[in-house]
Amino acid sequence: MKKIYALLILALGCMSYSYSQVSVSGAVVSDAEKIPVPGVSVYVKGEPKGAVTTDFDGNFQIKAQINQGVLVFSYVGFQTKEVPFSGNQKLNVSLAEEVSTLNEVVVVGYGSQKRSDVTGAIGSVKSENFNKGVVTNAGQLIQGKVAGVNVTAASGEPGANQDIIIRGVGSLRSGTTPLYVVDGFALDNSGNGVASNPLNFINPQDIESIDVLKDASASAIYGSRAANGVVVITTKKGSKGRTQINLSMTTGFSSLANKVDVFSADEFRRGVVAVNGTLQDGGANTDWQDELTRTGVSQNVNLTMSGGTEKSTYSASLGMDNQEGVLRNSDLKRYSGRVNLSQKALDDKFNITFSLTGTKLENSRPDARGVVGNMLTMNPTDAVYVNGQPNTNLSNDVLNPLISERIYSDFTNNNRILANIAPSYEFIKGLTYKFNLGVDYSMSERDIQVLPYSSETNTTLGSLNNIVSTNNNTLYENTLTYNFNIKDHSFTVLAGQSYQKIQLNQKSYNLSGFPDNGVEPKNQIETASERTTQSSSAIENELQSFFGRLNYGYDNKYLVTATMRADGSSKFGKNNRYGYFPSVALGWNITKENFLQDSETVNNLKLRASWGKTGSQEIPSKITKASYTESNTGNDTYPLDPSATDLSGYPYGSIYTRLANPNIQWEVSTQANIGLDFSLFNNRISGTLDYFNKVSDNILLEVAPTDPIQPTSKYWTNIPNMEIKNSGIEVALDYSSDKSKDFSYSIGGNISFTNNKVENSPYKILTTGGAQGGGQSGATINGVLNGQPIGSFYMLNFTGIGSNGLNQFADTNGDGQILDDDRIVAGSALPDYIYAFYLNLKYKNFDFGANFNGAGGNKIYNHVAMSSFNRGSLANSFNTTDRAVQYLNEASTNSNTVSTRYLEDGSFLRLNNATLGYNLNPKLIGLTDVMDNIRLSITGQNLFVITKYSGYDPEINTGTSVGDIQSFGIDYFSYPRSRTIVFGLNVAF
């Protein structure tokens, strides 16, 4: 009987429990566009574990154990909303966007600001606006996205180095790269041993936003490293709400985008005969550009998970990227993992954030210059294979490129960890202390080897060059921030101290003469018969800094920002250890004034003006100190031993290799900027307009002394009065239609004009680019001339072929002779303007986006044509283009002299990428309970280029230098670019 009573009581309890449950359902839409919002977290206040999420159409249904309560709706990008309910009820909920354009948060140095409060020139790109496709590094994400920022890849190689030039070239040396700051950590990429782009270690899919600090007001807080601008990278963080899981997978296929129009086999046969050459006819019909390239397959898998509560958030990701280039043995593999955590405690006064990124890079590189040279010059009548094996009997005793590919390898293995932890504590309301500790550690090993090979016509000794590099970058920072208001006056005061220590170590050795036993040289170093060279180096640099910033605003109308940073660097001498970098900026929110406050046309109008100084310490270490070596040649020794009969019996003497110069100073850039931000017609039209003037002085160079009697041939110094001036205009304009309709679109673009000029240079020319090979090695192609842009082409003006079959050049000075004094400035490698524009279309679940970019007013020197596409090469049975027969009377012995004959227009327009996507409703395939969203996409990269340039691609930046002065605009057999089609699948859970 007792058991029956117990069962009845339990049943009644269950019934009462079930009766107390209510079911609340409804739909969630966006407040502005009135479109469904999938993935919104919905839970009963106080019971977050019972959360549900809205489906693809924004619908939800949740069981509540209480008859009355409050539902909490939260989603990234929208304001959290609380809605009361009573009993079984159907709710229609609209969520307001968390930030408008004006309230959008922009990351600045050591903090962030609302866009409406920014007084500096900052370009921001969010993840949804990044360039799509096979993307290896952060620079590719923002190419063409920010006015005044010129992103140029060195080549088409996977993960190739890039030049990111912000508002013109402001230095002559190779250090024109901006400072990169990742989640508050300033990177040092000067010596991590990776031959490709050092930013490849960051998984692009982990990046939430990229902010480019362009003017001195925005970047001066980074002082001595900000002369070339600052790129601030922010990775994805977690947010409160249910756990969100996202899986993305892409597969891409890459092929040679453009072929150089060299002769076919039949055209070649006729051409050699036409120039009275010696035809070596192998009887075949070979397209070496097809034979030496491939369809590269790229795969990317990325898994992210994020979520959190009011007190703690997390975000984690794992990524695998495998990219193949269009040349064989050209691969980049990246395995990455990232964790971002945050935790609040002590009534939210104590906050700690932690981030960790770990990456393993495996990079295989071909002998690109050799392969490209073979693609363009190999005899097209030679067969690739004979009896199924690579042909070893090629014209001119050339080694078959397929054999070269097999015996050559260049492999780098790099492991890198970037970690930082930042605890902070709010002592009183608005007053927060923060400590930031970070470390960036990189270790790489690179093996460049050639397997031994011999045939009847070719012999190659096996060789190995092994390079081991480590880079240890440690950062300690203390900052104190105070935010407070006094009636209509708002203040943010920042004071901080920073110490950064960078240690670089490198060891290398070269060995040759390995036996041909089937074992790779790197696995049998003890068998090398010739030990050539070995070396090691260690460098330690320190940077001690003190900085402060004041942000003041009155009634949200009038804004003032003032910064000061003092940097002390171990790179500089004792007489100039510290540099000081001030800046000031003013802002006027005109729309806050009474005469515009109620305007329905003008939603935002802000005037900005700034001035400031930034510095550059991107110089070699130790150059302020004297350096010595030993020598027993020339006047460096004396026969102290009278019995000595030759130099082997003479003692070694100590000689200078570098003179001490404790007076070396920073390069300093002084920049003024005036800008206007605006948005009109309910924010449908928005844009910016900026004018800037940047002057760099105290230019640092290694130069030859004017006095010929010196203990060293060159020395480092600041060039007195020499200046590099950059001035220009930047314009960006965007338009968006009504997004609440089934069909919507947005269109926009940017353009920037930059005038670059060198003034007060004491040198006639500083060579930035020289010819290579063909008897022309070292001949100047472009350089730095007084009153001209950096990278100006300085050469003879080609006027045609004379009656003697030889080159004719203009006698510009009229002295009857053709000498170096007849050279002219024939244009610059730097573009006069760069531009980009985009188009985004959306119809229901379909979307399409296209991004274009281009440049104009620049020249390219076609070094490939000068070296290879001439009459003499054709006469000797090497392939060429129709350049070789352009002049019927040209002699086969005519020299390939540096001249305007090989100078071409570098202007171009490129369809950078285009994407067609479809958001598939999981309900249609019965997966509503499993998935929130399924997205399918197809992306094309580098689909077409409009240009007059005859080479592979007009976007030329070889990354070379002459005497540590960077080269621009010379095509040295660059790795060709590819055209890529990418298929993508993205699933959200």
mmCIF file of all heavy atoms in Angstrom, residues 144-145 684-687 731-736 745-751 835-840 850-853:
data_model
loop_
_atom_site.group_PDB
_atom_site.id
_atom_site.type_symbol
_atom_site.label_atom_id
_atom_site.label_comp_id
_atom_site.label_asym_id
_atom_site.label_seq_id
_atom_site.Cartn_x
_atom_site.Cartn_y
_atom_site.Cartn_z
ATOM 1 N N GLY A 144 43.725 46.417 -52.192
ATOM 2 C CA GLY A 144 42.696 47.209 -52.839
ATOM 3 C C GLY A 144 41.574 47.664 -51.923
ATOM 4 O O GLY A 144 40.644 48.329 -52.371
ATOM 5 N N LYS A 145 41.657 47.361 -50.633
ATOM 6 C CA LYS A 145 40.556 47.659 -49.716
ATOM 7 C C LYS A 145 40.724 48.983 -48.976
ATOM 8 O O LYS A 145 39.741 49.497 -48.429
ATOM 9 C CB LYS A 145 40.422 46.531 -48.681
ATOM 10 C CG LYS A 145 40.031 45.187 -49.272
ATOM 11 C CD LYS A 145 38.635 45.212 -49.841
ATOM 12 C CE LYS A 145 38.184 43.861 -50.315
ATOM 13 N NZ LYS A 145 36.808 43.867 -50.832
ATOM 14 N N ARG A 684 23.238 55.768 -46.637
ATOM 15 C CA ARG A 684 23.370 54.996 -47.878
ATOM 16 C C ARG A 684 24.686 55.321 -48.576
ATOM 17 O O ARG A 684 25.335 54.443 -49.139
ATOM 18 C CB ARG A 684 22.186 55.302 -48.815
ATOM 19 C CG ARG A 684 20.848 54.829 -48.300
ATOM 20 C CD ARG A 684 20.716 53.311 -48.446
ATOM 21 N NE ARG A 684 19.510 52.817 -47.818
ATOM 22 C CZ ARG A 684 18.311 52.867 -48.371
ATOM 23 N NH1 ARG A 684 18.158 53.411 -49.561
ATOM 24 N NH2 ARG A 684 17.269 52.364 -47.732
ATOM 25 N N ILE A 685 25.083 56.571 -48.561
ATOM 26 C CA ILE A 685 26.350 56.993 -49.161
ATOM 27 C C ILE A 685 27.305 57.372 -48.034
ATOM 28 O O ILE A 685 26.945 58.126 -47.121
ATOM 29 C CB ILE A 685 26.149 58.192 -50.106
ATOM 30 C CG1 ILE A 685 25.231 57.807 -51.265
ATOM 31 C CG2 ILE A 685 27.489 58.687 -50.631
ATOM 32 C CD1 ILE A 685 24.917 58.967 -52.188
ATOM 33 N N SER A 686 28.498 56.854 -48.084
ATOM 34 C CA SER A 686 29.509 57.210 -47.093
ATOM 35 C C SER A 686 30.866 57.277 -47.780
ATOM 36 O O SER A 686 31.083 56.670 -48.832
ATOM 37 C CB SER A 686 29.550 56.185 -45.950
ATOM 38 O OG SER A 686 29.877 54.896 -46.448
ATOM 39 N N GLY A 687 31.772 58.026 -47.167
ATOM 40 C CA GLY A 687 33.085 58.143 -47.783
ATOM 41 C C GLY A 687 34.053 58.954 -46.951
ATOM 42 O O GLY A 687 33.708 59.503 -45.895
ATOM 43 N N VAL A 731 40.689 59.182 -51.783
ATOM 44 C CA VAL A 731 39.238 59.289 -51.828
ATOM 45 C C VAL A 731 38.650 57.885 -51.743
ATOM 46 O O VAL A 731 39.102 56.970 -52.450
ATOM 47 C CB VAL A 731 38.744 59.971 -53.120
ATOM 48 C CG1 VAL A 731 37.222 60.073 -53.116
ATOM 49 C CG2 VAL A 731 39.370 61.344 -53.280
ATOM 50 N N ALA A 732 37.658 57.704 -50.864
ATOM 51 C CA ALA A 732 36.921 56.445 -50.780
ATOM 52 C C ALA A 732 35.436 56.768 -50.753
ATOM 53 O O ALA A 732 35.005 57.707 -50.071
ATOM 54 C CB ALA A 732 37.314 55.669 -49.536
ATOM 55 N N LEU A 733 34.634 56.002 -51.506
ATOM 56 C CA LEU A 733 33.205 56.268 -51.601
ATOM 57 C C LEU A 733 32.451 54.937 -51.691
ATOM 58 O O LEU A 733 32.859 54.031 -52.432
ATOM 59 C CB LEU A 733 32.902 57.108 -52.848
ATOM 60 C CG LEU A 733 31.501 57.692 -52.978
ATOM 61 C CD1 LEU A 733 31.230 58.681 -51.844
ATOM 62 C CD2 LEU A 733 31.346 58.393 -54.328
ATOM 63 N N ASP A 734 31.365 54.822 -50.899
ATOM 64 C CA ASP A 734 30.578 53.591 -50.871
ATOM 65 C C ASP A 734 29.090 53.930 -50.921
ATOM 66 O O ASP A 734 28.655 54.943 -50.355
ATOM 67 C CB ASP A 734 30.862 52.790 -49.595
ATOM 68 C CG ASP A 734 32.326 52.428 -49.460
ATOM 69 O OD1 ASP A 734 32.721 51.390 -50.012
ATOM 70 O OD2 ASP A 734 33.059 53.186 -48.802
ATOM 71 N N TYR A 735 28.323 53.054 -51.566
ATOM 72 C CA TYR A 735 26.864 53.211 -51.610
ATOM 73 C C TYR A 735 26.213 51.864 -51.344
ATOM 74 O O TYR A 735 26.623 50.830 -51.898
ATOM 75 C CB TYR A 735 26.395 53.737 -52.965
ATOM 76 C CG TYR A 735 24.889 53.778 -53.067
ATOM 77 C CD1 TYR A 735 24.169 54.822 -52.499
ATOM 78 C CD2 TYR A 735 24.182 52.744 -53.692
ATOM 79 C CE1 TYR A 735 22.780 54.850 -52.561
ATOM 80 C CE2 TYR A 735 22.796 52.764 -53.765
ATOM 81 C CZ TYR A 735 22.102 53.819 -53.186
ATOM 82 O OH TYR A 735 20.727 53.843 -53.240
ATOM 83 N N SER A 736 25.182 51.850 -50.482
ATOM 84 C CA SER A 736 24.431 50.634 -50.186
ATOM 85 C C SER A 736 22.954 50.896 -50.402
ATOM 86 O O SER A 736 22.419 51.931 -49.978
ATOM 87 C CB SER A 736 24.663 50.180 -48.739
ATOM 88 O OG SER A 736 26.005 49.806 -48.521
ATOM 89 N N TYR A 745 22.052 45.710 -53.136
ATOM 90 C CA TYR A 745 23.402 45.791 -53.710
ATOM 91 C C TYR A 745 24.194 46.875 -53.003
ATOM 92 O O TYR A 745 23.646 47.768 -52.342
ATOM 93 C CB TYR A 745 23.347 46.075 -55.212
ATOM 94 C CG TYR A 745 22.795 47.441 -55.556
ATOM 95 C CD1 TYR A 745 23.655 48.531 -55.761
ATOM 96 C CD2 TYR A 745 21.422 47.653 -55.684
ATOM 97 C CE1 TYR A 745 23.155 49.789 -56.081
ATOM 98 C CE2 TYR A 745 20.919 48.899 -55.999
ATOM 99 C CZ TYR A 745 21.789 49.961 -56.194
ATOM 100 O OH TYR A 745 21.305 51.201 -56.498
ATOM 101 N N SER A 746 25.499 46.792 -53.143
ATOM 102 C CA SER A 746 26.402 47.842 -52.676
ATOM 103 C C SER A 746 27.534 47.964 -53.674
ATOM 104 O O SER A 746 27.936 46.985 -54.306
ATOM 105 C CB SER A 746 26.940 47.531 -51.276
ATOM 106 O OG SER A 746 27.649 46.313 -51.266
ATOM 107 N N ILE A 747 28.010 49.167 -53.819
ATOM 108 C CA ILE A 747 29.080 49.449 -54.774
ATOM 109 C C ILE A 747 29.960 50.538 -54.184
ATOM 110 O O ILE A 747 29.490 51.400 -53.437
ATOM 111 C CB ILE A 747 28.503 49.877 -56.144
ATOM 112 C CG1 ILE A 747 29.605 49.964 -57.196
ATOM 113 C CG2 ILE A 747 27.719 51.181 -56.031
ATOM 114 C CD1 ILE A 747 29.070 50.162 -58.601
ATOM 115 N N GLY A 748 31.226 50.484 -54.505
ATOM 116 C CA GLY A 748 32.125 51.499 -53.968
ATOM 117 C C GLY A 748 33.536 51.295 -54.463
ATOM 118 O O GLY A 748 33.831 50.384 -55.240
ATOM 119 N N GLY A 749 34.415 52.149 -53.986
ATOM 120 C CA GLY A 749 35.806 52.047 -54.383
ATOM 121 C C GLY A 749 36.643 53.125 -53.751
ATOM 122 O O GLY A 749 36.169 53.937 -52.948
ATOM 123 N N ASN A 750 37.913 53.113 -54.105
ATOM 124 C CA ASN A 750 38.829 54.127 -53.607
ATOM 125 C C ASN A 750 39.901 54.395 -54.643
ATOM 126 O O ASN A 750 40.186 53.545 -55.500
ATOM 127 C CB ASN A 750 39.459 53.701 -52.265
ATOM 128 C CG ASN A 750 40.318 52.453 -52.403
ATOM 129 O OD1 ASN A 750 41.440 52.490 -52.899
ATOM 130 N ND2 ASN A 750 39.783 51.317 -51.944
ATOM 131 N N ILE A 751 40.490 55.563 -54.555
ATOM 132 C CA ILE A 751 41.591 55.938 -55.432
ATOM 133 C C ILE A 751 42.505 56.875 -54.654
ATOM 134 O O ILE A 751 42.048 57.666 -53.817
ATOM 135 C CB ILE A 751 41.086 56.612 -56.727
ATOM 136 C CG1 ILE A 751 42.248 56.834 -57.706
ATOM 137 C CG2 ILE A 751 40.348 57.913 -56.435
ATOM 138 C CD1 ILE A 751 41.790 57.244 -59.102
ATOM 139 N N TYR A 835 44.078 52.318 -57.470
ATOM 140 C CA TYR A 835 42.637 52.403 -57.309
ATOM 141 C C TYR A 835 42.055 50.998 -57.148
ATOM 142 O O TYR A 835 42.699 49.987 -57.455
ATOM 143 C CB TYR A 835 42.003 53.110 -58.509
ATOM 144 C CG TYR A 835 42.190 52.391 -59.828
ATOM 145 C CD1 TYR A 835 41.217 51.545 -60.332
ATOM 146 C CD2 TYR A 835 43.365 52.574 -60.570
ATOM 147 C CE1 TYR A 835 41.382 50.888 -61.537
ATOM 148 C CE2 TYR A 835 43.553 51.924 -61.775
ATOM 149 C CZ TYR A 835 42.555 51.081 -62.252
ATOM 150 O OH TYR A 835 42.739 50.428 -63.442
ATOM 151 N N ALA A 836 40.828 50.941 -56.666
ATOM 152 C CA ALA A 836 40.110 49.686 -56.521
ATOM 153 C C ALA A 836 38.622 49.996 -56.457
ATOM 154 O O ALA A 836 38.214 51.082 -56.044
ATOM 155 C CB ALA A 836 40.555 48.950 -55.265
ATOM 156 N N PHE A 837 37.803 49.042 -56.874
ATOM 157 C CA PHE A 837 36.359 49.193 -56.739
ATOM 158 C C PHE A 837 35.728 47.810 -56.623
ATOM 159 O O PHE A 837 36.335 46.790 -56.980
ATOM 160 C CB PHE A 837 35.753 49.987 -57.898
ATOM 161 C CG PHE A 837 36.037 49.430 -59.265
ATOM 162 C CD1 PHE A 837 35.163 48.541 -59.879
ATOM 163 C CD2 PHE A 837 37.185 49.821 -59.959
ATOM 164 C CE1 PHE A 837 35.418 48.041 -61.134
ATOM 165 C CE2 PHE A 837 37.450 49.326 -61.229
ATOM 166 C CZ PHE A 837 36.571 48.432 -61.816
ATOM 167 N N TYR A 838 34.519 47.788 -56.076
ATOM 168 C CA TYR A 838 33.854 46.510 -55.825
ATOM 169 C C TYR A 838 32.370 46.623 -56.162
ATOM 170 O O TYR A 838 31.787 47.704 -56.247
ATOM 171 C CB TYR A 838 34.024 46.100 -54.359
ATOM 172 C CG TYR A 838 33.262 46.976 -53.392
ATOM 173 C CD1 TYR A 838 31.939 46.686 -53.038
ATOM 174 C CD2 TYR A 838 33.855 48.115 -52.837
ATOM 175 C CE1 TYR A 838 31.235 47.503 -52.161
ATOM 176 C CE2 TYR A 838 33.167 48.927 -51.963
ATOM 177 C CZ TYR A 838 31.855 48.615 -51.629
ATOM 178 O OH TYR A 838 31.161 49.428 -50.769
ATOM 179 N N LEU A 839 31.738 45.455 -56.307
ATOM 180 C CA LEU A 839 30.305 45.365 -56.525
ATOM 181 C C LEU A 839 29.796 44.150 -55.766
ATOM 182 O O LEU A 839 30.320 43.043 -55.933
ATOM 183 C CB LEU A 839 29.981 45.207 -58.018
ATOM 184 C CG LEU A 839 28.526 44.883 -58.372
ATOM 185 C CD1 LEU A 839 27.616 46.046 -58.000
ATOM 186 C CD2 LEU A 839 28.402 44.541 -59.856
ATOM 187 N N ASN A 840 28.794 44.340 -54.913
ATOM 188 C CA ASN A 840 28.164 43.249 -54.182
ATOM 189 C C ASN A 840 26.681 43.216 -54.503
ATOM 190 O O ASN A 840 25.997 44.248 -54.433
ATOM 191 C CB ASN A 840 28.346 43.420 -52.668
ATOM 192 C CG ASN A 840 29.794 43.273 -52.248
ATOM 193 O OD1 ASN A 840 30.556 42.499 -52.837
ATOM 194 N ND2 ASN A 840 30.191 44.015 -51.226
ATOM 195 N N ALA A 850 32.386 41.083 -56.426
ATOM 196 C CA ALA A 850 33.554 41.197 -57.303
ATOM 197 C C ALA A 850 34.420 42.354 -56.832
ATOM 198 O O ALA A 850 33.909 43.427 -56.487
ATOM 199 C CB ALA A 850 33.128 41.408 -58.756
ATOM 200 N N ASN A 851 35.731 42.139 -56.818
ATOM 201 C CA ASN A 851 36.691 43.152 -56.387
ATOM 202 C C ASN A 851 37.738 43.368 -57.470
ATOM 203 O O ASN A 851 38.376 42.407 -57.926
ATOM 204 C CB ASN A 851 37.383 42.720 -55.094
ATOM 205 C CG ASN A 851 36.433 42.656 -53.920
ATOM 206 O OD1 ASN A 851 36.135 43.651 -53.289
ATOM 207 N ND2 ASN A 851 35.943 41.452 -53.625
ATOM 208 N N PHE A 852 37.914 44.625 -57.868
ATOM 209 C CA PHE A 852 38.885 45.002 -58.889
ATOM 210 C C PHE A 852 39.954 45.887 -58.247
ATOM 211 O O PHE A 852 39.675 46.639 -57.306
ATOM 212 C CB PHE A 852 38.220 45.780 -60.017
ATOM 213 C CG PHE A 852 37.151 45.030 -60.758
ATOM 214 C CD1 PHE A 852 35.865 44.915 -60.235
ATOM 215 C CD2 PHE A 852 37.420 44.445 -61.987
ATOM 216 C CE1 PHE A 852 34.872 44.235 -60.914
ATOM 217 C CE2 PHE A 852 36.428 43.760 -62.678
ATOM 218 C CZ PHE A 852 35.145 43.651 -62.139
ATOM 219 N N ASN A 853 41.169 45.823 -58.775
ATOM 220 C CA ASN A 853 42.199 46.775 -58.355
ATOM 221 C C ASN A 853 43.143 47.052 -59.518
ATOM 222 O O ASN A 853 43.239 46.253 -60.464
ATOM 223 C CB ASN A 853 42.985 46.258 -57.142
ATOM 224 C CG ASN A 853 43.892 45.093 -57.474
ATOM 225 O OD1 ASN A 853 43.426 43.975 -57.665
ATOM 226 N ND2 ASN A 853 45.199 45.352 -57.520
#
